[in-house]
Amino acid sequence: MRRRTGLALAAAAVLAWGEWLNWRWSHALVGRGAGASEAVVVLGYRNPRPTANVVNRWRVRAGIRSAAADTRVIFSGGPTGNGAAEARLMADYAKAVLEFDGTVLLEDRSATTWENITNVLPLLEDVDRIKIVSQPAHALKARAYLRRQRPDLAERLVRADDYRLGEWLLGKPLLALYGLWTLRRLTAGERKVAPGPETRPGRPG
C-alpha cells in the first residue's frame, strides 16, 4: 500500500513539474501589449506527410484560438519530405478542416526556428501585438530569437493561448525534459518571466 501511495505521489509530482515548467515558459519574454493590430505566428513542425500531422494540427488550433477577429495568422515553415511546405499544410488544415476564414499569410521557406523568425519579420513590422504559437519551450525559443534579431519588435510580444492547464497532461513531463535540452543555449535573461534587458544579438549554432 505504501509503495502504491509512493508511486502515485511520485507520478503526481512529475505531472505537476511538467505542468509548472510549461506554464513558466509560456509566460516568459511576453508583455501586456497595447494597440489594436495583432499577428499570430504559428511555427511548423517537421511534417513528411501530405497532410498536417498531429503536432501541426494542435499548433493550428492553438493559433486560431489565440487570434482575435481581425488578427492576421501567419503560418511559418518550409518544405518537408514530400515537397509541401509546413506553412501550406497548416493553412490547408485551418481552412478546410477548422473552417477558419480570417486573414492568413504564409512564410514557406524556413528550415529552422531562427529562419522562422528572420523570414516573418517583414510581416510583423506594422502590428502592435505579436503572439508566437508552438509548444511552450519552442515558442519561448522563438521569442528569444526575436529579441536577438529585432529587440524593437520583441517589445510587442504578448502571450498566445498555447498553454492550458491539463492539456497534453501526460506528455508535458516529456515536453519539459525536451524543452530543458532545447533551451540550454538561452541566457538567463532570455528565460525571464517578464521581459528583461536586451541581450547581445547572435545567431545560434
Side-chain angles (χ1 to χ4, degrees):
M1 188 67 168
R2 288 183 178 179
R3 182 177 181 182
R4 289 182 180 178
T5 301
L7 290 174
L9 289 174
V14 169
L15 292 176
W17 171 76
E19 195 75 54
W20 172 79
L21 203 50
N22 279 274
W23 174 88
R24 181 174 177 82
W25 288 332
S26 76
H27 285 73
L29 299 188
V30 293
R32 296 183 178 179
S37 59
E38 182 178 272
V40 173
V41 180
V42 183
L43 304 177
Y45 178 77
R46 53 184 176 271
N47 200 135
R49 298 170 53 192
T51 57
N53 60 29
V54 64
V55 174
N56 282 326
R57 293 197 301 270
W58 178 85
R59 291 184 185 183
V60 172
R61 294 195 299 272
I64 290 175
R65 74 191 187 198
S66 299
D70 298 325
T71 301
R72 72 182 62 161
V73 178
I74 304 166
F75 294 110
S76 177
T80 55
N82 67 347
E86 294 163 0
R88 170 55 62 189
L89 296 177
M90 291 191 292
D92 289 346
Y93 177 73
K95 293 178 179 180
V97 179
L98 302 182
E99 299 182 345
F100 180 67
D101 60 358
T103 301
V104 170
L105 301 176
L106 301 185
E107 183 290 296
D108 58 3
R109 295 177 293 134
S110 299
T112 66
T113 306
W114 182 269
E115 291 178 1
N116 285 136
I117 296 304
T118 300
N119 293 333
V120 300
L121 289 178
L123 306 177
L124 303 176
E125 297 282 359
D126 62 340
V127 298
D128 301 312
R129 294 154 51 86
I130 300 169
K131 298 176 180 178
I132 298 179
V133 172
S134 185
Q135 274 66 29
H138 187 217
L140 171 55
K141 182 179 181 180
R143 291 194 295 271
Y145 288 175
L146 181 59
R147 284 184 83 205
R148 295 183 189 184
Q149 296 186 35
R150 287 289 301 274
D152 58 321
L153 291 182
E155 292 297 319
R156 307 177 195 177
L157 284 166
V158 296
R159 279 200 65 223
D161 190 6
D162 55 3
Y163 168 86
R164 288 188 175 180
L165 182 65
E167 190 174 47
W168 291 75
L169 177 63
L170 297 180
K172 276 178 179 168
L174 294 177
L175 291 172
L177 288 172
Y178 180 73
L180 289 173
W181 180 81
T182 195
L183 296 176
R184 69 195 185 282
R185 295 180 180 175
L186 297 190
T187 68
E190 289 174 327
R191 303 184 195 200
K192 289 184 178 179
V193 171
E198 179 183 340
T199 56
R200 182 177 63 187
R203 181 166 184 160

